[in-house]
Amino acid sequence: MVTCVTRNYIIAEMSLLSIYAGPTAYRKLQADGFHVDQFGALLGASGGPKWFVLYGLDRYLFGEFLVSGTRPLDTLGSSAGAWRLSCLATADPLRAIDALAVGYSEQTYSAAPSVTEITDKMRDMLALVLGTGGASEIVSNERIRTHIIADRCKGIGNSSHKAMQMGFLGLSALANTVSRRALSLFFQRTLFTPKPANSPWGNLTDLDTRLAQLTANNLLDVLIASGSIPFVLSGVRNIEGAHPGMYWDGGITDYHFDFPFHRGSDLVLYPHFSATVIPGWFDKHLPWRKPHRENFDNVVLLAPSAEFVNSLPNRKIPDRTDFEAYPEQERLRIWREVLASSQALGDAFARLVQFGEGLDNMVLLDQF
């Protein structure tokens, strides 16, 4: 067993897949093992290409584990996490997640791509992932209940002028250093879901939050908005059926999430590319900003171990800096290798579910 220290806590690791569980989740899993109908929610965090390391785990979850359940499952995603989890609610989740993996990992651009070029390519990619019927399948799925976070700008954030937008982001980042709640002065977290009245997150009070109707007509716009990193992708203005305004990346307010996920005694499954949880995008450089442990009482977080990460090319998980760090063909080769290697995480979780292998290495997640 390997022990190491992260920014937030000390962890003990398995050889491939690390399991962290809040106190209630820990007790339940120790007593009962892993069963699909224990879980009432599934989380998918922002992180761009970092999700490639979870691709093999997603394939097992989407193709076998989660689809075998009988109870409703609420999914909650921002940015690339929303793209991943939307695949689960289609009629053919494996086709959709495979299309997302190939489409995203094979992205190529001109030498100096514009925001418009990147946005258009991402929109085309997501349209292929959805296919002809995916949007309708997602919003009509009665068991997998999709929630996608995008952030509506307030005030000058709705300006079309880059200088105004940059000033807006700078002010919001500065306010966030004082209090995370100050983000509500600048953004409204918007949760798009097919049936807002049935959402378990209809009464959030940590930030200004509004629920909006997710429809087959607006789903592609919502997915693009949820991943629209300012000045990398274009935001989406005036999404059909939602409050007017400019919508940007849901990771601004909810990079890795920090609000109550529980619904009664249900557990929350959180496949994540890291053991570190950072609430919002602006908190990445604020070491004192940590999640509230009570929000993770029922959470089961799955992450690749340090040993697994060290086995990847250059001993790192892919990220957006790879576009500048590697020549194009080298980047494509590395990303393909990571996608292939990620199958080992899916296999490890399958052994955990079927045989309890690795359950003894589960770590209590109680000290953010």
Side-chain angles (χ1 to χ4, degrees):
M1 185 176 294
V2 180
T3 302
C4 67
V5 179
T6 71
R7 189 179 79 181
N8 288 336
Y9 40 77
I10 298 176
I11 60 175
E13 298 182 326
M14 296 170 53
S15 60
L16 291 176
L17 186 66
S18 298
I19 311 167
Y20 310 90
T24 294
Y26 188 93
R27 291 191 296 271
K28 287 187 176 184
L29 294 179
Q30 286 283 21
D32 304 325
F34 275 79
H35 305 286
V36 64
D37 284 333
Q38 294 169 311
F39 296 97
L42 176 70
L43 308 183
S46 301
K50 293 176 184 176
W51 87 268
F52 295 156
V53 78
L54 299 176
Y55 168 60
L57 181 57
D58 282 350
R59 291 198 91 252
Y60 176 71
L61 292 173
F62 294 8
E64 295 187 45
F65 184 66
L66 293 174
V67 294
S68 68
T70 60
R71 300 181 59 240
L73 181 73
D74 289 294
T75 71
L76 175 71
S78 63
S79 197
W83 299 355
R84 291 168 49 220
L85 300 195
S86 293
C87 295
L88 176 60
T90 65
D92 190 348
L94 285 183
R95 184 214 65 82
I97 197 68
D98 288 347
L100 179 61
V102 172
Y104 199 169
S105 66
E106 298 290 335
Q107 286 286 313
T108 59
Y109 300 98
S110 62
S114 66
V115 169
T116 299
E117 177 185 349
I118 297 171
T119 303
D120 288 346
K121 288 207 170 189
M122 286 297 182
R123 184 175 284 271
D124 290 344
M125 177 196 73
L126 290 171
L128 287 173
V129 170
L130 293 173
T132 56
S136 296
E137 292 161 6
I138 290 167
V139 300
S140 64
N141 195 316
E142 294 291 337
R143 180 173 169 261
I144 307 298
R145 305 189 295 205
T146 301
H147 293 70
I148 299 171
I149 299 177
D151 290 327
R152 185 180 68 84
C153 298
K154 298 181 178 181
I156 63 170
N158 288 292
S159 172
S160 299
H161 297 287
K162 185 175 180 179
M164 297 285 279
Q165 292 175 344
M166 291 182 69
F168 172 81
L169 284 174
L171 287 172
S172 58
L174 182 62
N176 180 73
T177 63
V178 178
S179 170
R180 178 163 156 76
R181 287 184 176 274
L183 285 176
S184 293
L185 299 172
F186 302 89
F187 299 99
Q188 182 178 63
R189 171 201 284 143
T190 306
L191 276 72
F192 290 87
T193 186
K195 295 183 178 180
N198 295 337
S199 172
W201 300 298
N203 297 305
L204 296 177
T205 59
D206 61 317
L207 296 175
D208 181 13
T209 302
R210 176 189 293 262
L211 271 69
Q213 187 85 35
L214 185 66
T215 69
N217 288 336
N218 70 14
L219 188 139
L220 184 55
D221 277 344
V222 172
L223 288 173
I224 286 292
S226 185
S228 289
I229 302 170
F231 313 122
V232 177
L233 275 75
S234 301
V236 180
R237 190 178 296 278
N238 299 336
I239 295 175
E240 179 183 307
H243 198 73
M246 176 69 80
Y247 287 80
W248 270 346
D249 197 310
I252 295 174
T253 56
D254 296 283
Y255 191 55
H256 299 162
F257 312 112
D258 181 28
F259 55 76
F261 308 118
H262 323 151
R263 187 179 57 190
S265 60
D266 288 344
L267 301 186
V268 179
L269 187 61
Y270 190 2
H272 193 31
F273 45 78
S274 169
T276 301
V277 176
I278 301 170
W281 191 37
F282 295 128
D283 299 327
K284 289 188 286 185
H285 304 295
L286 305 180
W288 63 86
R289 184 64 50 76
K290 299 177 181 179
H292 293 80
R293 70 173 66 182
E294 61 269 21
N295 290 337
F296 287 78
D297 179 62
N298 281 22
V299 171
V300 181
L301 188 149
L302 307 174
S305 67
E307 180 177 291
F308 179 79
V309 173
N310 285 336
S311 74
L312 299 177
N314 301 312
R315 298 186 175 187
K316 69 179 286 291
I317 292 173
D319 59 46
R320 289 194 303 111
T321 66
D322 292 354
F323 282 102
E324 290 77 39
Y326 305 113
E328 183 173 273
Q329 292 305 310
E330 177 72 0
R331 172 180 59 82
L332 294 176
R333 181 192 66 78
I334 289 172
W335 285 6
R336 292 186 195 111
E337 186 174 334
V338 172
L339 289 172
S341 298
S342 72
Q343 181 60 46
L345 298 185
D347 294 342
F349 187 66
R351 292 192 298 271
L352 173 65
V353 171
Q354 294 166 19
F355 310 115
E357 183 179 316
L359 190 61
D360 291 344
N361 295 320
M362 182 169 55
V363 177
L364 185 64
L365 183 62
D366 69 345
Q367 45 181 319
F368 283 110

PDB file of all heavy atoms in Angstrom, residues 2-24:
ATOM      1  N   VAL A   2       0.554   2.197  -0.867  1.00  0.00           N
ATOM      2  CA  VAL A   2       1.340   3.418  -1.002  1.00  0.00           C
ATOM      3  C   VAL A   2       0.627   4.549  -0.289  1.00  0.00           C
ATOM      4  O   VAL A   2      -0.589   4.677  -0.374  1.00  0.00           O
ATOM      5  CB  VAL A   2       1.496   3.781  -2.501  1.00  0.00           C
ATOM      6  CG1 VAL A   2       2.302   5.049  -2.655  1.00  0.00           C
ATOM      7  CG2 VAL A   2       2.165   2.633  -3.238  1.00  0.00           C
ATOM      8  N   THR A   3       1.372   5.383   0.435  1.00  0.00           N
ATOM      9  CA  THR A   3       0.779   6.538   1.112  1.00  0.00           C
ATOM     10  C   THR A   3       1.396   7.807   0.567  1.00  0.00           C
ATOM     11  O   THR A   3       2.601   7.893   0.379  1.00  0.00           O
ATOM     12  CB  THR A   3       0.999   6.478   2.626  1.00  0.00           C
ATOM     13  OG1 THR A   3       0.432   5.272   3.121  1.00  0.00           O
ATOM     14  CG2 THR A   3       0.346   7.667   3.314  1.00  0.00           C
ATOM     15  N   CYS A   4       0.563   8.813   0.304  1.00  0.00           N
ATOM     16  CA  CYS A   4       1.089  10.092  -0.168  1.00  0.00           C
ATOM     17  C   CYS A   4       0.220  11.211   0.376  1.00  0.00           C
ATOM     18  O   CYS A   4      -0.834  10.966   0.964  1.00  0.00           O
ATOM     19  CB  CYS A   4       1.124  10.139  -1.698  1.00  0.00           C
ATOM     20  SG  CYS A   4      -0.490  10.152  -2.474  1.00  0.00           S
ATOM     21  N   VAL A   5       0.658  12.460   0.192  1.00  0.00           N
ATOM     22  CA  VAL A   5      -0.061  13.618   0.713  1.00  0.00           C
ATOM     23  C   VAL A   5      -0.524  14.478  -0.451  1.00  0.00           C
ATOM     24  O   VAL A   5       0.257  14.808  -1.333  1.00  0.00           O
ATOM     25  CB  VAL A   5       0.825  14.451   1.654  1.00  0.00           C
ATOM     26  CG1 VAL A   5       0.057  15.668   2.168  1.00  0.00           C
ATOM     27  CG2 VAL A   5       1.318  13.604   2.810  1.00  0.00           C
ATOM     28  N   THR A   6      -1.819  14.812  -0.506  1.00  0.00           N
ATOM     29  CA  THR A   6      -2.334  15.760  -1.475  1.00  0.00           C
ATOM     30  C   THR A   6      -2.518  17.102  -0.774  1.00  0.00           C
ATOM     31  O   THR A   6      -2.221  17.248   0.410  1.00  0.00           O
ATOM     32  CB  THR A   6      -3.692  15.294  -2.031  1.00  0.00           C
ATOM     33  OG1 THR A   6      -4.663  15.423  -1.007  1.00  0.00           O
ATOM     34  CG2 THR A   6      -3.631  13.860  -2.506  1.00  0.00           C
ATOM     35  N   ARG A   7      -3.066  18.072  -1.524  1.00  0.00           N
ATOM     36  CA  ARG A   7      -3.259  19.398  -0.944  1.00  0.00           C
ATOM     37  C   ARG A   7      -4.221  19.358   0.227  1.00  0.00           C
ATOM     38  O   ARG A   7      -4.109  20.121   1.167  1.00  0.00           O
ATOM     39  CB  ARG A   7      -3.807  20.346  -2.025  1.00  0.00           C
ATOM     40  CG  ARG A   7      -3.832  21.796  -1.597  1.00  0.00           C
ATOM     41  CD  ARG A   7      -4.350  22.684  -2.707  1.00  0.00           C
ATOM     42  NE  ARG A   7      -5.788  22.640  -2.782  1.00  0.00           N
ATOM     43  CZ  ARG A   7      -6.485  23.320  -3.676  1.00  0.00           C
ATOM     44  NH1 ARG A   7      -5.866  24.024  -4.590  1.00  0.00           N
ATOM     45  NH2 ARG A   7      -7.805  23.261  -3.691  1.00  0.00           N
ATOM     46  N   ASN A   8      -5.185  18.437   0.186  1.00  0.00           N
ATOM     47  CA  ASN A   8      -6.261  18.474   1.170  1.00  0.00           C
ATOM     48  C   ASN A   8      -6.171  17.415   2.254  1.00  0.00           C
ATOM     49  O   ASN A   8      -6.647  17.625   3.347  1.00  0.00           O
ATOM     50  CB  ASN A   8      -7.614  18.329   0.454  1.00  0.00           C
ATOM     51  CG  ASN A   8      -7.976  19.573  -0.316  1.00  0.00           C
ATOM     52  OD1 ASN A   8      -7.499  20.643   0.012  1.00  0.00           O
ATOM     53  ND2 ASN A   8      -8.781  19.423  -1.339  1.00  0.00           N
ATOM     54  N   TYR A   9      -5.580  16.268   1.965  1.00  0.00           N
ATOM     55  CA  TYR A   9      -5.595  15.242   2.985  1.00  0.00           C
ATOM     56  C   TYR A   9      -4.608  14.141   2.630  1.00  0.00           C
ATOM     57  O   TYR A   9      -4.130  14.032   1.513  1.00  0.00           O
ATOM     58  CB  TYR A   9      -6.992  14.634   3.156  1.00  0.00           C
ATOM     59  CG  TYR A   9      -7.734  14.423   1.869  1.00  0.00           C
ATOM     60  CD1 TYR A   9      -7.429  13.341   1.028  1.00  0.00           C
ATOM     61  CD2 TYR A   9      -8.719  15.314   1.472  1.00  0.00           C
ATOM     62  CE1 TYR A   9      -8.083  13.159  -0.144  1.00  0.00           C
ATOM     63  CE2 TYR A   9      -9.380  15.125   0.269  1.00  0.00           C
ATOM     64  CZ  TYR A   9      -9.061  14.045  -0.531  1.00  0.00           C
ATOM     65  OH  TYR A   9      -9.721  13.879  -1.716  1.00  0.00           O
ATOM     66  N   ILE A  10      -4.320  13.274   3.602  1.00  0.00           N
ATOM     67  CA  ILE A  10      -3.461  12.126   3.382  1.00  0.00           C
ATOM     68  C   ILE A  10      -4.321  10.983   2.868  1.00  0.00           C
ATOM     69  O   ILE A  10      -5.418  10.745   3.347  1.00  0.00           O
ATOM     70  CB  ILE A  10      -2.752  11.704   4.681  1.00  0.00           C
ATOM     71  CG1 ILE A  10      -1.863  12.854   5.174  1.00  0.00           C
ATOM     72  CG2 ILE A  10      -1.930  10.443   4.475  1.00  0.00           C
ATOM     73  CD1 ILE A  10      -1.203  12.577   6.496  1.00  0.00           C
ATOM     74  N   ILE A  11      -3.814  10.251   1.863  1.00  0.00           N
ATOM     75  CA  ILE A  11      -4.592   9.162   1.299  1.00  0.00           C
ATOM     76  C   ILE A  11      -3.764   7.886   1.235  1.00  0.00           C
ATOM     77  O   ILE A  11      -2.544   7.923   1.125  1.00  0.00           O
ATOM     78  CB  ILE A  11      -5.091   9.502  -0.120  1.00  0.00           C
ATOM     79  CG1 ILE A  11      -3.900   9.774  -1.069  1.00  0.00           C
ATOM     80  CG2 ILE A  11      -6.019  10.682  -0.118  1.00  0.00           C
ATOM     81  CD1 ILE A  11      -4.325   9.994  -2.504  1.00  0.00           C
ATOM     82  N   ALA A  12      -4.451   6.759   1.351  1.00  0.00           N
ATOM     83  CA  ALA A  12      -3.827   5.460   1.123  1.00  0.00           C
ATOM     84  C   ALA A  12      -4.414   4.901  -0.155  1.00  0.00           C
ATOM     85  O   ALA A  12      -5.618   5.024  -0.390  1.00  0.00           O
ATOM     86  CB  ALA A  12      -4.121   4.522   2.290  1.00  0.00           C
ATOM     87  N   GLU A  13      -3.599   4.291  -0.997  1.00  0.00           N
ATOM     88  CA  GLU A  13      -4.016   3.996  -2.341  1.00  0.00           C
ATOM     89  C   GLU A  13      -3.992   2.511  -2.667  1.00  0.00           C
ATOM     90  O   GLU A  13      -3.173   1.755  -2.161  1.00  0.00           O
ATOM     91  CB  GLU A  13      -3.134   4.728  -3.341  1.00  0.00           C
ATOM     92  CG  GLU A  13      -3.231   6.244  -3.203  1.00  0.00           C
ATOM     93  CD  GLU A  13      -2.380   6.912  -4.241  1.00  0.00           C
ATOM     94  OE1 GLU A  13      -1.323   6.365  -4.584  1.00  0.00           O
ATOM     95  OE2 GLU A  13      -2.780   7.988  -4.691  1.00  0.00           O
ATOM     96  N   MET A  14      -4.884   2.145  -3.591  1.00  0.00           N
ATOM     97  CA  MET A  14      -4.828   0.841  -4.219  1.00  0.00           C
ATOM     98  C   MET A  14      -3.815   0.916  -5.351  1.00  0.00           C
ATOM     99  O   MET A  14      -3.280   1.970  -5.670  1.00  0.00           O
ATOM    100  CB  MET A  14      -6.199   0.489  -4.786  1.00  0.00           C
ATOM    101  CG  MET A  14      -7.295   0.345  -3.779  1.00  0.00           C
ATOM    102  SD  MET A  14      -8.884   0.226  -4.608  1.00  0.00           S
ATOM    103  CE  MET A  14      -8.577  -1.101  -5.772  1.00  0.00           C
ATOM    104  N   SER A  15      -3.605  -0.196  -6.028  1.00  0.00           N
ATOM    105  CA  SER A  15      -2.639  -0.202  -7.118  1.00  0.00           C
ATOM    106  C   SER A  15      -3.134   0.540  -8.350  1.00  0.00           C
ATOM    107  O   SER A  15      -2.344   1.123  -9.076  1.00  0.00           O
ATOM    108  CB  SER A  15      -2.288  -1.648  -7.489  1.00  0.00           C
ATOM    109  OG  SER A  15      -3.448  -2.340  -7.896  1.00  0.00           O
ATOM    110  N   LEU A  16      -4.458   0.515  -8.619  1.00  0.00           N
ATOM    111  CA  LEU A  16      -4.990   1.161  -9.807  1.00  0.00           C
ATOM    112  C   LEU A  16      -6.058   2.191  -9.489  1.00  0.00           C
ATOM    113  O   LEU A  16      -5.995   3.322  -9.947  1.00  0.00           O
ATOM    114  CB  LEU A  16      -5.591   0.110 -10.757  1.00  0.00           C
ATOM    115  CG  LEU A  16      -4.628  -0.845 -11.443  1.00  0.00           C
ATOM    116  CD1 LEU A  16      -5.407  -1.866 -12.268  1.00  0.00           C
ATOM    117  CD2 LEU A  16      -3.651  -0.090 -12.334  1.00  0.00           C
ATOM    118  N   LEU A  17      -7.055   1.783  -8.735  1.00  0.00           N
ATOM    119  CA  LEU A  17      -8.218   2.624  -8.482  1.00  0.00           C
ATOM    120  C   LEU A  17      -8.331   2.926  -6.996  1.00  0.00           C
ATOM    121  O   LEU A  17      -8.374   2.014  -6.176  1.00  0.00           O
ATOM    122  CB  LEU A  17      -9.482   1.903  -8.962  1.00  0.00           C
ATOM    123  CG  LEU A  17     -10.798   2.664  -8.916  1.00  0.00           C
ATOM    124  CD1 LEU A  17     -10.770   3.830  -9.910  1.00  0.00           C
ATOM    125  CD2 LEU A  17     -11.964   1.731  -9.230  1.00  0.00           C
ATOM    126  N   SER A  18      -8.366   4.193  -6.666  1.00  0.00           N
ATOM    127  CA  SER A  18      -8.513   4.614  -5.273  1.00  0.00           C
ATOM    128  C   SER A  18      -9.981   4.887  -4.978  1.00  0.00           C
ATOM    129  O   SER A  18     -10.696   5.463  -5.802  1.00  0.00           O
ATOM    130  CB  SER A  18      -7.689   5.871  -4.998  1.00  0.00           C
ATOM    131  OG  SER A  18      -6.316   5.620  -5.206  1.00  0.00           O
ATOM    132  N   ILE A  19     -10.425   4.483  -3.792  1.00  0.00           N
ATOM    133  CA  ILE A  19     -11.820   4.647  -3.374  1.00  0.00           C
ATOM    134  C   ILE A  19     -11.845   5.488  -2.115  1.00  0.00           C
ATOM    135  O   ILE A  19     -11.198   5.155  -1.122  1.00  0.00           O
ATOM    136  CB  ILE A  19     -12.488   3.299  -3.068  1.00  0.00           C
ATOM    137  CG1 ILE A  19     -12.249   2.304  -4.194  1.00  0.00           C
ATOM    138  CG2 ILE A  19     -13.977   3.479  -2.820  1.00  0.00           C
ATOM    139  CD1 ILE A  19     -12.609   0.894  -3.798  1.00  0.00           C
ATOM    140  N   TYR A  20     -12.610   6.568  -2.154  1.00  0.00           N
ATOM    141  CA  TYR A  20     -12.777   7.443  -0.995  1.00  0.00           C
ATOM    142  C   TYR A  20     -14.272   7.542  -0.706  1.00  0.00           C
ATOM    143  O   TYR A  20     -15.067   7.758  -1.617  1.00  0.00           O
ATOM    144  CB  TYR A  20     -12.214   8.835  -1.278  1.00  0.00           C
ATOM    145  CG  TYR A  20     -10.814   8.810  -1.826  1.00  0.00           C
ATOM    146  CD1 TYR A  20     -10.595   8.748  -3.200  1.00  0.00           C
ATOM    147  CD2 TYR A  20      -9.715   8.804  -0.976  1.00  0.00           C
ATOM    148  CE1 TYR A  20      -9.315   8.694  -3.712  1.00  0.00           C
ATOM    149  CE2 TYR A  20      -8.430   8.753  -1.479  1.00  0.00           C
ATOM    150  CZ  TYR A  20      -8.235   8.693  -2.846  1.00  0.00           C
ATOM    151  OH  TYR A  20      -6.964   8.621  -3.356  1.00  0.00           O
ATOM    152  N   ALA A  21     -14.652   7.397   0.531  1.00  0.00           N
ATOM    153  CA  ALA A  21     -16.072   7.398   0.872  1.00  0.00           C
ATOM    154  C   ALA A  21     -16.308   8.252   2.111  1.00  0.00           C
ATOM    155  O   ALA A  21     -15.573   8.140   3.101  1.00  0.00           O
ATOM    156  CB  ALA A  21     -16.567   5.974   1.119  1.00  0.00           C
ATOM    157  N   GLY A  22     -17.336   9.113   2.051  1.00  0.00           N
ATOM    158  CA  GLY A  22     -17.751   9.859   3.225  1.00  0.00           C
ATOM    159  C   GLY A  22     -18.220   8.915   4.318  1.00  0.00           C
ATOM    160  O   GLY A  22     -18.484   7.726   4.061  1.00  0.00           O
ATOM    161  N   PRO A  23     -18.352   9.394   5.555  1.00  0.00           N
ATOM    162  CA  PRO A  23     -18.647   8.506   6.683  1.00  0.00           C
ATOM    163  C   PRO A  23     -19.853   7.599   6.487  1.00  0.00           C
ATOM    164  O   PRO A  23     -19.774   6.391   6.754  1.00  0.00           O
ATOM    165  CB  PRO A  23     -18.860   9.485   7.839  1.00  0.00           C
ATOM    166  CG  PRO A  23     -18.011  10.663   7.484  1.00  0.00           C
ATOM    167  CD  PRO A  23     -18.113  10.781   5.997  1.00  0.00           C
ATOM    168  N   THR A  24     -20.985   8.145   6.029  1.00  0.00           N
ATOM    169  CA  THR A  24     -22.166   7.303   5.827  1.00  0.00           C
ATOM    170  C   THR A  24     -21.939   6.310   4.701  1.00  0.00           C
ATOM    171  O   THR A  24     -22.277   5.118   4.815  1.00  0.00           O
ATOM    172  CB  THR A  24     -23.399   8.169   5.535  1.00  0.00           C
ATOM    173  OG1 THR A  24     -23.713   8.939   6.701  1.00  0.00           O
ATOM    174  CG2 THR A  24     -24.604   7.313   5.168  1.00  0.00           C
TER     175      THR A  24
END
